[in-house]
Structure formats: structure tokens, C-alpha cells
Amino acid sequence: MSRVLVGVKRVVDYAVKVRVKPDKTGVVTEGVKHSMNPFDEIAVEEAIKLKEKKIASEIIAVSVGPTQSQEVIRTALAMGADRGVHVEVSGKDYDLLQPIHISKILAKLALDEKADLIIVGKQAIDDDSNQTAQMTAAVLDWPQGTFCNKVEKTDAGLNITREIDGGLETIKTKIPAVLSADLRLNTPRYATLPNIMKAKKKPLKKVTPKDLGVDTTPRIEVLSVEEPPVRQAGALVPDVDALVGKLKEGGHV
Amino acid sequence: MFSSNARNLIRSSLINRCKSTLVVAEHNNEALNPITLNTISAAKKIGGDVTVLVAGTKCGPASEALTKVEGVAKVLVAENAAFKGFTPESITPLVLAAQSQFKFTHILAAATAFGKNVLPRVASKLDVSPISEIIDVKSEDTFVRTIYAGNAILTLRSTDPVKVITVRGTNFAPVAATGGSGAIEQAPTGDYASQLSEFVSQELTKSDRPELTGAKVIVSGGRGLKSGDNFKLLYDLADKFGAAVGASRAAVDAGYVPNDLQIGQTGKIVAPQLYIAVGISGAIQHLAGMKDSKTIVAINKDAEAPIFQVADIGLVADLFKAVPELTGKL
């Protein structure tokens, strides 16, 4: 029986078209719909599945960020996580927080909580870094199973099918391990209303990086955040013949 | 007194002398993955010496090819059974050993499944913050990358002593595969076999078509294709161009095609000369993977589909009629 730590991040909802701030310091996040990073929902779902199969004994959902991060912890609790840990970082500190910091926080919590498995999403859809699982595994010297498509518990550890560029690959890892969830690992469940109510009573602990002994000194300076170049507006063609004509004009055929 | 120009020249040559980049090559024990040439191109833009590391169970073909690559000074070779399957648990200590011997200022790899898997592990061991999928190099410490599915462009300065970076291949033209004269050298030896993980097997999608990320033309299908069988329409069209075939997430999730064909924020990022999107609505996450294509053609029956906002040439039509007609007329 193992204890699972799941990392969940509060991000701007995937359906929102983000806008860059006029002063080029970042994107507009105030008054914009946020939700749990979609890959993290998949990570939570996988942890719950492990618990349902009696492989996991307890699921701890962790989020690092401002007070509002507690919303995504509550969502994880409503899906089936047992308790939450909110690591509070806000303001400018949070703006410059990177996977290197998160990985140290997750690693410390995993040791404190005696977790055997850490599951996170393969990337957050805001910074698109795709680093946290790999870095957490490195801090702990645990094996990593990134971009998981399928995870099976065996007597010796885990059998993991991973999504790679040319197809799929299978690896075996020992436990403890760090996993990152790819899109096709599972379909996350919805939190039902009764479970959302119950989640409000589940324990949620609040700590700071300082409590955990993790230094969050920034490693980067943001010089600018800008709009991507706008593509020249194209034109509709009336039929296939006109399309063929345009392709010829462009030297494509 | 130096003129400011002369001073800058001296300053930049000093920096150039100090800079040295390690590129972790990608290969499959049989051939070099050409995306390594795009990564070397980014390394050259940073400046300084470029060393390439080839690790695997059979390094001959890739290291031979690399000695001829323009701008490569040295090829470090680490041939060992420990690197079977290129597991990050075995490659990381090797990169760290090379780093401790040569003190590189930059460590680069392509932003592929391999590079994304290995480099953050290396960075963590060096206690530096890696920089993912750069699209440009402004200076030795200043890089450009996209965030929010390509909807914002971040320019950042790294304050870490060693820059560990993955490179988006489509944003850097490959360096010439010939004309170089790199020297082959043994990488530092050590016991790199890891007990933590083990490669078991691979199931690669078989295809005679060009590789998606390197293809000049891509024909891509979405939910509008309605079934896996209907993708034959796209394969027929792709044959006319010698094109690769890609897909949207919807088409992958529906099981029409395997996941390694997915183009988008979480799939592959492509930038071909010609991208033909068929039956794809154009969600933000899909556009993130293809909007740097030179020419985008969209065929969709819904005139309101967001794909038409980025398409250079749009055809509002039923794909089941338009695509066979197009294939016939090419």
C-alpha cells in the first residue's frame, strides 16, 4: 500500500483566449476564469484509480500558489483525494516561481509525508514548461515515468507505457517513483455535488516554502511578454479549382 | 583610450572564449535524428565552442555523421549497454560527468520527447532552472519562448550559472550536415547503469511518409473526417505532395489515428511550408502547434470555424467532396 502525492496547479482555464498586458509584464489574469490544469486532473484521476484498486492507501493533493490555489485543492478533494496541502506563495514571488522551486517543495513534502509515488501533469498549460516531474524525480533520486499513457503496478514496481515521438514505449521502474500524466492516461471524473460538499470538510493544511526549508529565490528575470505576430489575413476561395490555382501560384505544386 | 566599438569587440571576444555549449545528440543507434542539426544551429547562435555528446548502445553512425557537421568542434562518444532505451536515469549521470570535466556554460537538446525527458533531470542535478522550448536566442543569457499555448511570447534572462535549454527545432534552420571536421573523443567513463528504471520495448508507428516535425508539407485531419478509414482521403492527398499526415487531438481521441500524429500544444510543433487542415475547427491548442507554418490551407464546411482566421487560403466545402476533387486535380 502506498501513499500518493498529487501536484495540482491553478491555471487560466484552457478555453480562455489570454491577453497580454499593455505594459508587457505578463498576461492579464485578474478577473479571468481559472481552473485546475487539465493534465493535473488526469494525475488526480490516476491516483484515485490506484486507490480504488487498493494500490494506494491515501492521496494527498498539493498546490503551490496564492490563496486561490485552495480552490483546485478542493476540486481534487471532491474528486477523491483524502487531504490537501496548500503551499502559500503569492504576489511577485509567485510570478517568478518556477518548476525548480516546485520540485523542491514536492520532494520535501513527499519525504515528510512518506509518499511512495508522486503524480503530476506532464505540463502546465500556462508556462508550458514540462519540467516538474523530471526535476522532482532528480531531487529525490527516484525514477521518472514521464508522459504516461498507462501505469500498472507489478510485484517489482511499475510497468509504464509512455507516449514518445514515434509511438509508445514501455519501461519498468522501481517504487518510489515520480510520474507525469499525458492526455490519454485516463478520462478524469467530474466532482459530484455531494462530493463537493464533503470536500469542504476534508483537512487542508497550509504551509510556506520557508516552513519546508525551500529557497524560492528567482532564477529568471522576465524582460517582456508580448503578443505573438499576427498572421496576414487570408482569403477564401470559391472552389477546388481556385484552390489548385492558388497552390500553383504559391509554388506548392 | 579604446573606442567603444573596440571595447565591445574585446568584451565580446572575451565572452566568446568563455562560452562553450554541449549539445546532447538524439539518435536511435542507427542514425542521427536530423533535429540535432537544428539544435546545433541554436548553439551556434549562442556562440562559443560546440561539443556534441552521443550516448547509446551503438554510437558509430551518429558520431560519424556529427564529425562532418558544420560548426561541431568535438564529438564525445559514450557507447555502453547502460544507455539502452536512453533512460534519463542513465543519461543524466553521463551528462553530469561531462559537465564536471569540461565546465560547459550551456547544455542544449532538442525539445523532443527525449530532450524534454532528460534535460530537466540534468538541470535539477545542477541546481539550475531549465528553459524549455526556446524559439530564439537574444544573447548568451537571454532567450525567447512561448507561453500559454503560443498566445504570448516571453523574453527572459536566466541568472543561473549554467543554462540548460531545450530548443524548438522549427525555429532554427538546420546547420549543414557536411563541411565540418569535428574530433571524436571518449566521453568520461563511469558506471552509468541505473537500477531505478529499465527500458522494456518500443512500439513505433510504421510509416513510409516523412517525419512530421521535418516535413515540408503536412496534410492534417480532425474530427470532421468522422472515422479512421476516411483518413485514406488524406493519405491519397498527402501522396501528391510527398507530405506527412498529422491530426488534431479530437481525431486522436476518437481513435482515428495514433497519438504520435497529434499536432498542437501537447503534441508536436510543426512549421512546414504548406499545412493543409482538413475538418479541423482550429482550437487554441491546435493552432499552438501549426501557426508558424508558411502557408496554411483550411478546408472546412463551417465558415465560422476559427481555423479560417489563421488560414492563408480557405475553402468552405464538404471535405468528402473537396478532398477527392483536389487530389484528382493535382
Side-chain angles (χ1 to χ4, degrees):
Chain A
M1 293 290 268
S2 51
R3 191 171 283 132
V4 184
L5 203 74
V6 189
V8 290
K9 184 175 186 182
R10 176 180 179 267
V11 299
V12 171
D13 190 87
Y14 74 94
V16 172
K17 174 93 172 73
V18 296
R19 280 181 305 124
V20 170
K21 286 183 186 168
D23 67 0
K24 298 184 179 177
T25 57
V27 304
V28 178
T29 53
E30 294 82 18
V32 170
K33 186 187 176 199
H34 283 67
S35 39
M36 189 190 293
N37 179 44
F39 289 96
D40 301 347
E41 292 183 0
I42 300 169
V44 174
E45 176 67 30
E46 197 64 16
I48 299 166
K49 284 211 158 90
L50 290 172
K51 195 177 171 190
E52 286 168 347
K53 287 184 209 149
K54 313 268 186 225
I55 294 165
S57 55
E58 191 186 25
I59 303 166
I60 307 162
V62 181
S63 191
V64 186
T67 312
Q68 297 95 314
S69 302
Q70 292 183 9
E71 295 160 14
V72 296
I73 298 176
R74 289 289 173 206
T75 305
L77 296 175
M79 287 172 75
D82 297 292
R83 57 192 172 91
V85 179
H86 172 216
V87 183
E88 185 156 38
V89 183
S90 55
K92 188 80 185 153
D93 288 346
Y94 183 62
D95 290 341
L96 290 171
L97 204 68
Q98 298 214 283
I100 187 171
H101 308 117
I102 309 289
S103 63
K104 291 177 182 184
I105 290 168
L106 289 180
K108 180 66 168 57
L109 283 171
L111 295 177
D112 288 355
E113 303 283 357
K114 299 191 168 46
D116 310 289
L117 212 52
I118 300 176
I119 314 180
V120 296
K122 90 162 173 182
Q123 78 193 59
I125 60 165
D126 51 3
D127 65 21
D128 282 333
S129 287
N130 193 333
Q131 300 169 352
T132 298
Q134 297 88 317
M135 298 188 83
T136 308
V139 174
L140 292 162
D141 259 320
W142 290 2
Q144 64 194 51
T146 51
F147 325 148
C148 292
N149 177 284
K150 198 162 104 189
V151 178
E152 286 168 332
K153 171 84 176 70
T154 62
D155 290 340
L158 297 169
N159 271 358
I160 299 168
T161 307
R162 307 177 54 237
E163 301 202 1
I164 57 168
D165 291 336
L168 297 170
E169 78 170 23
T170 307
I171 58 166
K172 284 185 200 173
T173 72
K174 296 216 164 130
I175 292 178
V178 183
L179 309 180
S180 79
D182 213 320
L183 276 179
R184 279 160 282 272
L185 181 58
N186 59 50
T187 306
R189 69 194 65 190
Y190 289 103
T192 59
L193 189 60
N195 286 342
I196 293 170
M197 298 312 287
K198 273 184 222 158
K200 290 183 179 166
K201 294 200 177 71
K202 289 185 179 176
L204 199 166
K205 188 167 79 179
K206 203 166 107 177
V207 295
T208 65
K210 207 171 158 221
D211 298 335
L212 300 170
V214 174
D215 176 13
T216 54
T217 307
R219 303 302 188 99
I220 62 159
E221 271 174 55
V222 173
L223 300 184
S224 72
V225 175
E226 295 180 56
E227 296 275 359
V230 181
R231 286 188 75 94
Q232 288 284 327
L236 289 180
V237 290
D239 54 30
V240 170
D241 287 326
L243 173 55
V244 174
K246 284 269 190 191
L247 288 174
K248 281 186 176 152
E249 229 173 80
H252 297 293
V253 282
Chain B
M1 290 293 281
F2 290 126
S3 74
S4 96
N5 262 350
R7 227 176 9 236
N8 281 340
L9 206 68
I10 287 167
R11 192 171 156 261
S12 73
S13 73
L14 271 175
I15 290 167
N16 268 328
R17 213 181 303 156
C18 301
K19 276 185 291 194
S20 63
T21 298
L22 178 70
V23 172
V24 183
E26 186 161 342
H27 70 118
N28 60 3
N29 294 314
E30 284 161 21
L32 182 71
N33 183 335
I35 201 161
T36 306
L37 302 179
N38 306 72
T39 315
I40 294 169
S41 169
K44 285 182 70 183
K45 202 161 179 187
I46 291 167
D49 279 347
V50 178
T51 301
V52 185
L53 173 67
V54 183
T57 52
K58 190 174 167 227
C59 300
S63 49
E64 287 287 311
L66 279 161
T67 56
K68 302 185 186 86
V69 169
E70 177 203 344
V72 172
K74 190 157 59 186
V75 183
L76 291 176
V77 179
E79 190 170 290
N80 194 317
F83 303 124
K84 187 186 171 202
F86 308 100
T87 61
E89 293 82 357
S90 63
I91 304 272
T92 300
L94 168 68
V95 177
L96 295 174
Q99 171 63 17
S100 117
Q101 183 176 343
F102 297 102
K103 315 280 180 222
F104 300 105
T105 55
H106 296 74
I107 302 176
L108 270 57
T112 55
F114 167 75
K116 290 172 181 178
N117 196 24
V118 174
L119 252 56
R121 192 170 178 108
V122 170
S124 175
K125 289 290 181 193
L126 296 170
D127 194 25
V128 302
S129 179
I131 306 158
S132 295
E133 292 211 40
I134 59 162
I135 61 169
D136 199 4
V137 173
K138 291 288 183 200
S139 74
E140 75 209 75
D141 64 1
T142 304
F143 307 95
V144 185
R145 58 183 302 269
T146 65
I147 51 175
Y148 288 94
N151 286 296
I153 297 185
L154 167 68
T155 304
L156 64 92
R157 198 177 81 78
S158 162
T159 56
D160 281 318
V162 182
K163 323 302 184 208
V164 177
I165 297 167
T166 59
V167 175
R168 186 173 286 177
T170 50
N171 291 80
F172 296 88
V175 292
T178 55
S181 53
I184 288 197
E185 207 176 290
Q186 279 300 310
T189 49
D191 179 15
Y192 300 119
S194 172
Q195 307 305 312
L196 296 174
S197 74
E198 187 194 327
F199 170 82
V200 179
S201 63
Q202 257 185 7
E203 245 182 87
L204 298 183
T205 308
K206 289 206 171 49
S207 171
D208 302 331
R209 295 173 193 285
E211 219 271 311
L212 259 181
T213 48
K216 300 252 185 308
V217 181
I218 295 175
V219 178
S220 202
R223 202 196 301 275
L225 267 294
K226 295 204 171 93
S227 79
D229 291 343
N230 289 336
F231 259 74
K232 182 165 188 312
L233 295 174
L234 300 195
Y235 291 124
D236 292 344
L237 176 59
D239 285 342
K240 295 282 182 179
F241 292 100
V245 172
S248 69
R249 180 186 168 184
V252 176
D253 282 353
Y256 302 168
V257 289
N259 63 277
D260 55 295
L261 296 195
Q262 185 180 329
I263 290 166
Q265 182 184 19
T266 63
K268 294 198 171 69
I269 311 278
V270 299
Q273 293 293 313
L274 178 64
Y275 187 90
I276 304 179
V278 180
I280 291 177
S281 64
I284 296 171
Q285 291 77 13
H286 184 73
L287 300 183
M290 46 63 81
K291 68 181 179 188
D292 288 336
S293 304
K294 193 101 167 75
T295 302
I296 298 173
V297 173
I299 301 174
N300 203 302
K301 66 179 176 193
D302 175 12
E304 303 299 314
I307 191 78
F308 287 117
Q309 291 163 20
V310 300
D312 301 284
I313 309 167
L315 175 63
V316 180
D318 179 356
L319 71 92
F320 293 103
K321 288 199 188 105
V323 172
E325 189 186 342
L326 177 59
T327 306
K329 284 177 174 166
L330 287 172

